[in-house]
Amino acid sequence: MGRSVINPLTKLNMKQQLILLFLLMVSPVFLLHWYGNLKAEDLLKNQVTNAYAELIKQNHALINRDIDTIDKVTATIIQHPSTQKLVPSGAEAVIERVRKYDAVDKLLASLSIPVNGGEAVYYSLYVYDPEDYYFFAPKRQVLQTGVYFFNDSTKPEWFDEAVSHKGSGYMELINGNKNLSRIQTLAFIRAVNNTGNGDRIIGVLVATNMEKKVREALHSVSLPQGHLMMFTDWTGRIMTSTQPELAGTIAELPPGASVDIDHASSGTIEAMTKDSIYIVNYNRVMNQRLIYQIPVGSLLKQQNELKRVIQFITIAYMLLGSVFLLYFWRSLMTPLQKLAQFVRKYEPGRLVPETPSRRRHDEVGVLMAAMYDMARRLNALIHYKYHMDLKQKESQLQLLYQQINPHLLYNTLESIYWKSTLEGNTESAEMIKELSKLMKIGLSRGRELIRLEEELEHAGAYVNLQQKRYSYEFKVIWRVQDAAKGIRIPKITLQPLIENAIIHGVKLMGDDGEIMITAAVEGERVTIKVEDNGYKQADIGNMERLLYEEEADHTLGYGIRNIHQRIQLHFGNSYGLSYRRREEGGTAAILVLPATYEDPLPGTES
């Protein structure tokens, strides 16, 4: 045999093991601090980049949601009957043209209001009117919203591009008016087609002040100090930014942050330089890019703060560990050493001294009290077992005394049987013989489980006694496999089932009555059936309730419930008694038992 491995810690006492444990607990903190200083910057950059990559997707989705809302509002304006009627024509009276103009102007003003406390978007409609049919309307934009008419000489520079988009909206930096001053604004521009004649253009709808709407979405995200967020078109021109003065300029990005033809229609690109981290979320369909520029210095500043926190935690951890080491040594180890001393010296049955540290209510106090109390209970259990062994011996003697009378009765019946046989009373002698068999097998030498062969002999004696006692003429058929005769079965199991078959089945049928007892081994189970062809329909429901319900109606009888419970107590809940109706008429009682044997099967080696 190989030598067992010796644990070197067993050579150390508890004090040395505790110090070793403290060193093992403190050493990883120093290693972690050293390794963290080496890897913290790279890990921080990667983690922050991944986090902001997810954040920029949500931020871009929020901006696109606002743009989609503006797109739906422009669709509502375009499809509005007042807008569709605003087609320059000299066939209408001036007053009618004024009404149409006023209706559209009010519609645009009603939609150019802030929603939920946010920034307002101002809607303006530019209508091509070369014949100056709407001479009374303003020819140039004086307010942030309204309807304006123009001719070839006053046509806005973005009008033709808007028409070329064929009704699709797009974002563009344009010059607008605010308080009679020209300002640069981000606008959502969309051509207005005539729904009655799709080839005809009514004008162009412009939603201005979009830079504030987008900037409002940008400010909903919190980034480190010194960050920059830019919303650009596909060429890189900044349409709006967290620094408004950058609008209209071209965003300068490192080579790794550019989008080429190999990229998908939408996605996120990450790039790092010495000074900044760039995260770009792009959408080719919308021709938009959202860019985060995060300075590395602000991240390293946070890292240095984190380093100081780790250093403080390390020092505090060491101090706290020292305090705990001292506490464990003085408060825990001393009582545990006393407890170990007691356990080594304790012998069952010896007097247990008073429990030390009884006033302690922590785990050590509970452990010591439990150990001393367990020793006392063990002493009490030893004394109790000693007294119980004496009582068990006395009970066995009493049981032997109680069995004297049944044995005396059995021996007396045997004597009467021989005397009756000698005197020629053959039938009486046979009845006495069957009764003595019942008594003999019922005793079974104190055994609860007997061989099926013995149980069949007991049941056969009962059947013969009943037929002779009441002159019953029913038939009894026995079909028992030899392999099943050796299995174990609780004694007096078949007799109550046969009794039920007689009383509730074939009692009044004369020689038409038939009871069949079968037993067959099926794999690891044995199935025993007691069937009758009785003319009365048995109430299977009542029988099942009696067998399986806890609060059964005991007025229906105890016998079959007793059989079912004894089988389950001996062999488990997978076995027991059940009832069913026979197709030929009558009732079948079915016993399922495990194929367990007292003796080897015939023909096998013992």
Side-chain angles (χ1 to χ4, degrees):
M1 295 178 63
R3 298 177 59 186
S4 60
V5 179
I6 300 175
N7 184 1
L9 293 180
T10 57
K11 297 180 180 180
L12 305 177
N13 58 33
M14 290 298 297
K15 180 179 179 180
Q16 294 170 334
Q17 292 186 32
L18 197 59
I19 294 174
L20 179 61
L21 176 63
F22 175 73
L23 293 176
L24 292 175
M25 291 175 61
V26 172
S27 298
V29 177
F30 287 101
L31 293 175
L32 179 63
H33 182 60
W34 172 75
Y35 182 77
N37 289 335
L38 293 177
K39 299 294 183 181
E41 183 175 343
D42 292 337
L43 291 175
L44 187 60
K45 286 182 180 179
N46 293 331
Q47 293 297 329
V48 169
T49 301
N50 294 335
Y52 287 139
E54 293 298 322
L55 187 62
I56 199 172
K57 293 178 185 177
Q58 299 176 13
N59 199 190
H60 203 172
L62 182 63
I63 294 173
N64 288 335
R65 187 192 68 182
D66 290 339
I67 296 174
D68 186 59
T69 301
I70 303 302
D71 185 65
K72 291 179 180 178
V73 174
T74 58
T76 302
I77 296 173
I78 292 171
Q79 296 171 5
H80 199 276
S82 299
T83 306
Q84 291 295 318
K85 292 177 182 178
L86 194 64
V87 179
S89 174
E92 299 173 330
V94 174
I95 187 66
E96 183 63 27
R97 280 175 267 169
V98 170
R99 289 194 186 98
K100 291 181 178 180
Y101 163 77
D102 185 60
V104 177
D105 192 64
K106 289 180 178 178
L107 173 64
L108 297 176
S110 66
L111 294 173
S112 301
I113 58 174
V115 179
N116 297 328
E119 291 288 343
V121 176
Y122 301 103
Y123 298 92
S124 301
L125 178 62
Y126 292 82
V127 181
Y128 181 57
D129 184 17
E131 304 297 332
D132 200 21
Y133 292 121
Y134 285 82
F135 59 89
F136 50 84
K139 294 300 182 290
R140 57 174 295 182
Q141 185 176 359
V142 293
L143 299 174
Q144 290 179 301
T145 181
V147 184
Y148 305 98
F149 298 86
F150 63 90
N151 53 32
D152 291 329
S153 62
T154 59
K155 180 171 65 173
E157 64 273 10
W158 35 261
F159 184 83
D160 291 335
E161 184 181 357
V163 173
S164 67
H165 281 76
K166 298 181 180 180
S168 298
Y170 67 98
M171 304 287 287
E172 183 64 60
L173 279 171
I174 65 172
N175 292 321
N177 292 328
K178 182 177 182 182
N179 299 327
L180 301 179
S181 300
R182 299 290 288 174
I183 61 170
Q184 190 180 57
T185 181
L186 179 61
F188 182 83
I189 304 174
R190 185 174 181 181
V192 180
N193 296 326
N194 190 322
T195 57
N197 184 359
D199 296 332
R200 184 172 182 181
I201 302 297
I202 296 176
V204 175
L205 186 61
V206 180
T208 58
N209 208 35
M210 286 294 295
E211 71 278 0
K212 292 185 179 180
K213 198 69 177 176
V214 174
R215 205 176 299 142
E216 185 181 73
L218 295 180
H219 284 299
S220 65
V221 176
S222 177
L223 292 180
Q225 184 178 6
H227 74 278
L228 178 62
M229 304 168 69
M230 298 172 285
F231 184 66
T232 75
D233 61 12
W234 198 251
T235 63
R237 185 174 58 156
I238 299 175
M239 292 188 284
T240 186
S241 170
T242 51
Q243 297 179 11
E245 64 273 10
L246 295 178
T249 63
I250 300 299
E252 297 181 0
L253 301 176
S258 61
V259 183
D260 54 35
I261 58 175
D262 294 330
H263 288 84
S265 60
S266 63
T268 302
I269 299 175
E270 304 162 4
M272 291 187 188
T273 64
K274 181 180 179 181
D275 300 322
S276 300
I277 297 175
Y278 293 87
I279 305 172
V280 181
N281 187 263
Y282 60 91
N283 190 322
R284 290 180 185 270
V285 178
M286 302 292 292
N287 287 326
Q288 299 169 359
R289 289 190 293 179
L290 181 61
I291 303 169
Y292 286 179
Q293 181 181 347
I294 305 167
V296 174
S298 61
L299 296 181
L300 295 181
K301 181 180 178 181
Q302 294 179 355
Q303 181 195 8
N304 292 331
E305 294 176 357
L306 182 61
K307 287 181 180 179
R308 287 193 293 271
V309 171
I310 293 176
Q311 290 173 352
F312 174 77
I313 292 175
T314 303
I315 296 172
Y317 183 80
M318 291 181 61
L319 294 175
L320 187 62
S322 301
V323 172
F324 269 105
L325 180 65
L326 183 62
Y327 168 76
F328 272 97
W329 178 252
R330 298 187 60 181
S331 181
L332 300 181
M333 295 308 301
T334 301
L336 289 177
Q337 286 176 342
K338 292 181 179 179
L339 181 61
Q341 213 170 23
F342 166 74
V343 171
R344 282 195 295 266
K345 292 182 179 180
Y346 172 72
E347 293 181 5
R350 289 186 57 182
L351 181 65
V352 178
E354 183 179 355
T355 305
S357 304
R358 182 174 290 275
R359 295 181 180 179
R360 295 184 60 155
H361 299 288
D362 59 357
E363 286 78 1
V364 174
V366 172
L367 177 63
M368 295 188 70
M371 186 63 70
Y372 278 79
D373 291 342
M374 183 175 65
R376 296 188 184 96
R377 288 196 299 271
L378 182 59
N379 288 347
L381 182 62
I382 291 172
H383 292 295
Y384 174 77
K385 186 178 183 304
Y386 173 74
H387 291 296
M388 290 304 296
D389 287 343
L390 291 178
K391 291 183 178 180
Q392 184 181 9
K393 296 296 182 180
E394 294 176 357
S395 299
Q396 290 175 350
L397 289 175
Q398 292 293 331
L399 183 61
L400 291 174
Y401 291 145
Q402 291 173 3
Q403 289 180 348
I404 292 176
N405 289 336
H407 278 289
L408 178 62
L409 178 59
Y410 166 70
N411 293 331
T412 303
L413 287 174
E414 284 289 322
S415 300
I416 297 173
Y417 163 71
W418 288 111
K419 189 173 187 302
S420 298
T421 301
L422 295 174
E423 293 177 353
N425 296 325
T426 306
E427 185 173 356
S428 298
E430 289 300 323
M431 292 179 68
I432 293 170
K433 182 64 176 178
E434 300 298 341
L435 182 58
S436 67
K437 285 183 182 180
L438 288 177
M439 294 294 298
K440 176 182 178 182
I441 297 173
L443 292 173
S444 302
R445 300 177 184 175
R447 293 175 299 155
E448 178 62 27
L449 296 176
I450 61 175
R451 297 171 71 243
L452 178 60
E453 188 174 17
E454 298 178 76
E455 180 65 14
L456 292 172
E457 184 180 358
H458 178 270
Y462 171 78
V463 170
N464 293 335
L465 190 62
Q466 290 294 97
Q467 286 180 324
K468 293 175 181 178
R469 180 182 177 191
Y470 296 106
S471 300
Y472 290 148
E473 298 178 357
F474 59 82
K475 300 175 184 176
V476 180
I477 302 172
W478 306 84
R479 294 177 180 173
V480 180
Q481 291 182 355
D482 291 339
K485 292 181 179 180
I487 65 104
R488 296 190 306 161
I489 184 173
K491 65 182 179 182
I492 315 179
T493 297
L494 296 181
Q495 181 268 325
L497 301 180
I498 295 174
E499 182 178 0
N500 285 343
I502 295 173
I503 296 174
H504 302 290
V506 302
K507 178 178 179 181
L508 303 176
M509 295 179 63
D511 56 3
D512 291 330
E514 183 178 281
I515 297 176
M516 181 182 298
I517 297 94
T518 60
V521 178
E522 301 170 351
E524 296 181 355
R525 295 189 171 201
V526 177
T527 302
I528 303 173
K529 298 180 182 179
V530 178
E531 303 176 81
D532 65 75
N533 63 344
Y535 60 91
K536 291 168 57 177
Q537 289 289 338
D539 192 339
I540 302 297
N542 280 341
M543 293 181 177
E544 289 181 348
R545 284 192 292 274
L546 181 61
L547 289 174
Y548 304 120
E549 291 184 1
E550 293 185 6
E551 302 295 333
D553 184 4
H554 294 294
T555 59
L556 301 175
Y558 287 93
I560 62 173
R561 184 180 180 87
N562 179 273
I563 294 171
H564 181 67
Q565 290 180 343
R566 283 194 297 140
I567 292 174
Q568 291 195 333
L569 284 173
H570 282 291
F571 304 117
N573 294 334
S574 301
Y575 306 97
L577 171 65
S578 62
Y579 277 89
R580 65 171 176 81
R581 291 190 180 92
R582 299 176 72 238
E583 294 181 0
E584 305 86 352
T587 308
I590 303 170
L591 291 168
V592 178
L593 303 170
T596 58
Y597 298 88
E598 275 188 344
D599 301 319
L601 289 173
T604 62
E605 292 183 6
S606 58

